[in-house]
Structures are given as structure tokens and as C-alpha cells.
């Protein structure tokens, strides 16, 4: 199984690892099949994701997809962060082996779960986001 240089870089030197104590949103997703668990923490300032950190228990691809996903949404407007797709994660990493595509899906779901949690905490209906996550799950499993 060959990984791109970017995947190896994000695995060896993951960005934004850790947790945010007073996070505005926390999303945790996992895939029982492979044992990968991702926990994503976001800090929101106005409508900007001002900070984003993650903790991932899983394979190298799971760590790399979490790492790049945090970089892709940090400093972005919530609306833009919500548009993150697993395909964008794969492209940003210069590709993933087919048996590791599910890691990119988990990264997308973790981001959306954290945003959904932020919405819930602020009295905004998270249903539109969670609907997208559920629709995605059935496609990929």
C-alpha cells in the first residue's frame, strides 16, 4: 500500500493534535469495522472556525485525514467548513489507497459532528448537517 508524501507528512507530523478545553463544538465519530476513532474540537469566533484540534485513535491514514481536515477548516467561515467533503480531503492529501477512503469519510463526519454540536449548543437546529452525515454513511458502508 503506497501513501503519498503528503499522507506520510501529516502522519509523521500531524497538525493541530490535542484538545480544546473550552471547545465550542466537539464531534466524535468512529468506525467499528476498522477501529478508527476521531474526536474533533472546534472554537468558533463569530462565524469563523478560529481553532480546530483533533485526537485520533487509528491508522496512519486516519491521523493524516484528521490532520489535513483541521487545516482545511481552520480560519474558514462555518458555511465553508460545512462544505468539506471526503473527496476534498483525499485531493488535499494527493490521494489515498482505496481501502483507506473510509478514513477521509470519518474526517468529514468528525468536522460536521463538531459543527453540529456547536449548533446544538447555540440553539440552532443541527438537523441539516446531521442529515448529510447520515446520507453519507449509507453511501460508503
Amino acid at each position: 500500500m503506497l501513501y503519498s508524501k503528503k499522507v506520510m507528512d501529516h502522519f509523521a507530523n500531524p497538525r493541530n493534535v490535542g484538545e480544546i478545553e473550552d471547545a465550542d463544538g466537539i464531534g466524535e465519530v468512529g468506525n467499528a469495522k476498522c477501529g478508527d476513532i476521531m474526536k474533533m474540537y472546534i472554537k468558533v469566533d463569530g462565524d469563523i472556525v478560529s481553532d480546530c484540534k483533533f485526537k485520533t485513535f487509528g491508522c496512519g491514514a486516519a491521523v493524516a485525514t484528521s490532520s489535513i481536515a483541521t487545516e482545511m477548516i481552520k480560519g474558514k467561515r462555518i458555511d465553508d467548513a460545512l462544505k468539506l467533503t471526503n473527496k476534498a480531503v483525499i485531493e488535499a492529501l494527493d490521494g489515498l489507497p482505496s481501502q483507506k477512503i473510509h478514513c477521509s469519510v470519518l474526517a468529514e463526519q468528525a468536522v460536521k459532528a463538531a459543527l453540529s454540536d456547536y449548533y446544538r449548543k447555540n440553539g440552532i437546529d443541527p438537523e441539516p448537517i446531521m442529515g448529510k452525515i447520515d446520507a453519507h454513511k449509507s453511501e460508503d458502508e
Side-chain angles (χ1 to χ4, degrees):
M1 181 179 342
L2 281 169
Y3 288 114
S4 71
K5 283 190 174 112
K6 272 195 179 169
V7 172
M8 294 308 293
D9 179 40
H10 276 271
F11 170 63
N13 310 292
R15 281 58 145 190
N16 306 308
V17 175
E19 49 191 277
I20 299 172
E21 286 301 317
D22 55 346
D24 294 316
I26 301 172
E28 185 170 345
V29 296
N31 183 324
K33 264 195 298 203
C34 62
D36 294 327
I37 298 167
M38 289 181 190
K39 197 163 188 177
M40 196 74 64
Y41 301 81
I42 60 167
K43 199 84 182 125
V44 178
D45 191 6
D47 70 340
I48 303 289
V49 178
S50 58
D51 198 8
C52 185
K53 293 197 181 305
F54 76 94
K55 286 178 112 174
T56 292
F57 176 84
C59 64
V63 171
T65 55
S66 303
S67 172
I68 199 130
T70 62
E71 287 205 316
M72 291 170 79
I73 68 164
K74 204 170 177 179
K76 298 277 192 290
R77 293 180 56 241
I78 289 174
D79 290 352
D80 295 326
L82 282 169
K83 292 178 190 148
L84 180 78
T85 64
N86 75 300
K87 286 181 180 56
V89 169
I90 293 167
E91 285 169 19
L93 287 170
D94 295 337
L96 274 177
S98 59
Q99 63 269 45
K100 294 296 178 180
I101 299 293
H102 66 271
C103 294
S104 65
V105 173
L106 280 179
E108 175 189 339
Q109 290 173 347
V111 165
K112 290 182 176 164
L115 289 163
S116 170
D117 183 50
Y118 165 73
Y119 274 6
R120 208 174 294 113
K121 287 177 176 169
N122 286 278
I124 304 164
D125 181 12
E127 201 46 55
I129 304 173
M130 295 316 287
K132 287 180 191 165
I133 292 173
D134 293 338
H136 222 66
K137 270 187 189 164
S138 55
E139 278 175 34
D140 293 304
E141 300 213 357

